[in-house]
Amino acid sequence: MIVSECSPVVLRRQLCGQGVCIRTGPLVCRIQSPLPEIAQALAAYYADFPILPESRFADIHLQVRPGRGLRRWIRPQVFCQCNGEIPFNPHPRCLAPAMLEWGLNWAVANLAHWYLMIHAAVLEKGGRALILSALAEAGKSTLCAALALRGWRLFSDEIALIRLDDCQLVPLARPICLKGASIELIRQQDSGWLVGPTLPDPVRGGIALVRPKPDSVAHMQDPAPVGWVVFPQFVPGSAAQFSPLPKALAFLRLADNSFNYSLLGTTGFQTLAGLLDRAAGCYKFRYSNLQEAVRWLERLMERPPESSPAGSLTQFDPTIEPT
Amino acid sequence: MDSASAVQWRLLSPAPLVFHAWQAEELVLVFHPLSGDTHLLDVLSAEVLRLLQSSPLQEETLRRHLLEWAGFSPEEFPLARLQTILQQLEHLDLIEQALS
């Protein structure tokens, strides 16, 4: 059974009781919450995800609960508890769906150490994965959403999971979290009603979640080899520009953006090196126009792997304007 | 051989270093398993570490190996250049002078 086949009443009852167990990629998450907003969020953003039996072992146990004491009624708040820990301060209750996502991200980043984890968006097209790794505010999730809406298979907008044995990328296929001005930018391109309502958040300029396409969810247990590693940076007024980056420097950037590189020790080093061995190339990418950026990235991924052997700089010529 | 070039160097830790480099890139990544540190080195510095990984070596012996390995003439690779590399690696806590 998938979430959309479950009636709202049953979904709500399960969330209030034993919890709803859903699979996201390789992980099983048990979600519990008495809040109707969480039931609505699951129905809206996880509609195509399979519901597993209540008795199923779960990797992640996440509860989203209303604030305590007066915070249940006065300027109500929510907080989340992941595997017994409360990772964040309470937030306004209107951000409950975002709290669910933040909690799941935190849980994955603190649990799944049988993968090398990097703070990055990952999408797949033509059998190869594109890694978009960047610090906050670089436009990573915006690019990720734009590409996902154009049919790229969504792996994650936050966490790249890299298998330690063969360096393949593993999907999570969870919703994309957009912030601020990027929400309307993506909504304009959304013909499938995948972008949810904007949740008011004065700190981030609003938050909206983007539901993954059914195809991404259907293939969320299918890994992919790396194709390209791109470090995007949104620079207002800048023309789209790729700059080749030596793999050794890309390695250090990815290690810096990793959640558990240090924890994994030699295995982390060898896995990251193995990933870059297999990558067709690494680039810094400055952009300001989303449509233009998407065209460039699509053109990049269309390059056949034979033209850019691992271990050498790619032959891709970034000076040629994409068609 | 003067007394300076008789100085012997060795790795600070016995744990084997892990090296990785890519074709056409003149940079080498070196991972130190005990400290967990990752270093980005030029190829000469990395080769010094690789040589010291086998056994402690005197500066003059190191220099001779490097001249042969890189195809340098003695003028192109004076002892002072090697000593700069050794000092930098010592500063990174990767090597130390060995007691003779």
Side-chain angles (χ1 to χ4, degrees):
Chain A
M1 176 189 275
I2 61 173
V3 172
S4 64
E5 292 168 349
C6 190
S7 79
V9 174
V10 173
L11 194 63
R12 181 87 198 279
R13 194 165 60 221
Q14 267 189 258
L15 281 169
C16 291
Q18 291 292 307
V20 175
C21 282
I22 57 168
R23 172 179 290 286
T24 66
L27 302 172
V28 175
C29 313
R30 183 187 302 279
I31 299 165
Q32 293 174 287
S33 178
L35 300 170
E37 298 95 311
I38 295 300
Q40 289 157 11
L42 276 186
Y45 304 114
Y46 287 85
D48 303 303
F49 284 72
I51 296 183
L52 305 175
E54 287 176 21
S55 57
R56 175 73 161 75
F57 169 82
D59 303 283
I60 294 169
H61 296 259
L62 182 86
Q63 297 174 335
V64 184
R65 293 179 175 168
R68 295 173 174 136
L70 286 175
R71 285 303 194 184
R72 289 176 80 94
W73 298 282
I74 300 171
R75 297 173 68 190
Q77 291 182 330
V78 286
F79 70 98
C80 74
Q81 186 169 334
C82 307
N83 292 355
E85 291 189 59
I86 298 176
F88 316 118
N89 288 330
H91 279 62
R93 181 162 168 170
C94 59
L95 293 176
M99 187 64 104
L100 171 68
E101 293 307 313
W102 296 333
L104 288 174
N105 284 341
W106 183 90
V108 173
N110 283 276
L111 172 81
H113 297 303
W114 56 98
Y115 298 101
L116 174 65
M117 291 183 282
I118 294 171
H119 185 210
V122 182
L123 302 111
E124 178 265 338
K125 190 176 188 187
R128 291 186 298 159
L130 168 70
I131 298 177
L132 295 167
S133 182
L135 300 174
E137 310 298 321
K140 168 175 59 70
S141 292
T142 313
L143 281 173
C144 178
L147 294 169
L149 290 181
R150 289 175 66 93
W152 292 48
R153 181 157 70 102
L154 173 68
F155 276 42
S156 174
D157 78 320
E158 280 291 326
I159 304 174
L161 294 181
I162 301 156
R163 282 204 304 223
L164 302 180
D165 55 351
D166 60 3
C167 304
Q168 294 242 336
L169 278 301
V170 174
L172 284 168
R174 293 207 353 258
I176 300 166
C177 189
L178 296 174
K179 300 182 241 1
S182 68
I183 296 172
E184 287 313 309
L185 209 54
I186 296 299
R187 202 186 295 283
Q188 287 164 14
Q189 301 171 29
D190 176 24
S191 56
W193 302 97
L194 296 171
V195 183
T198 302
L199 311 174
D201 180 0
V203 177
R204 300 168 187 83
I207 290 176
L209 300 175
V210 184
R211 171 182 159 182
K213 286 191 169 183
D215 185 57
S216 294
V217 180
H219 292 279
M220 68 180 170
Q221 296 201 64
D222 299 341
V226 64
W228 304 87
V229 180
V230 174
F231 299 92
Q233 188 183 10
F234 176 77
V235 181
S238 157
Q241 184 185 9
F242 277 103
S243 312
L245 189 66
K247 287 186 174 180
L249 298 182
F251 182 106
L252 294 183
R253 284 189 176 217
L254 292 175
D256 274 348
N257 286 349
S258 171
F259 296 106
N260 62 345
Y261 170 77
S262 298
L263 186 83
L264 292 173
T266 305
T267 303
F269 179 86
Q270 289 169 334
T271 304
L272 192 46
L275 177 85
L276 290 169
D277 281 345
R278 293 160 173 82
C282 305
Y283 285 99
K284 290 187 283 184
F285 180 45
R286 290 159 58 105
Y287 75 99
S288 61
N289 181 292
L290 184 61
Q291 302 294 342
E292 187 185 24
V294 165
R295 279 203 310 275
W296 280 82
L297 288 170
E298 293 205 314
R299 181 169 170 268
L300 179 70
M301 290 300 278
E302 283 164 9
R303 306 288 300 183
E306 291 77 20
S307 70
S308 48
S312 66
L313 288 180
T314 170
Q315 300 303 305
F316 176 65
D317 182 356
T319 60
I320 299 172
E321 189 71 18
T323 52
Chain B
M1 185 187 303
D2 61 27
S3 61
S5 61
V7 173
Q8 198 172 52
W9 292 85
R10 68 180 177 193
L11 292 189
L12 194 60
S13 122
L17 300 169
V18 188
F19 297 83
H20 202 92
W22 284 276
Q23 187 188 339
E25 292 186 13
E26 296 190 346
L27 298 165
V28 180
L29 288 161
V30 180
F31 182 74
H32 192 296
L34 290 189
S35 69
D37 290 338
T38 305
H39 302 276
L40 182 63
L41 302 177
D42 62 89
V43 288
L44 274 178
S45 303
E47 187 59 21
V48 168
L49 289 179
R50 212 188 296 268
L51 290 167
L52 292 178
Q53 191 144 260
S54 307
S55 64
L57 292 170
Q58 289 184 344
E59 288 182 0
E60 187 51 43
T61 313
L62 268 173
R63 181 165 172 255
R64 208 169 48 245
H65 277 298
L66 290 170
L67 287 174
E68 189 180 332
W69 177 77
F72 287 138
S73 67
E75 295 73 31
E76 284 176 309
F77 192 69
L79 185 63
R81 187 168 167 196
L82 171 63
Q83 287 169 335
T84 303
I85 291 172
L86 291 167
Q87 283 162 12
Q88 288 168 342
L89 293 175
E90 184 181 32
H91 185 68
L92 291 171
D93 288 332
L94 289 168
I95 63 171
E96 64 182 354
Q97 289 192 18
L99 295 174
S100 53

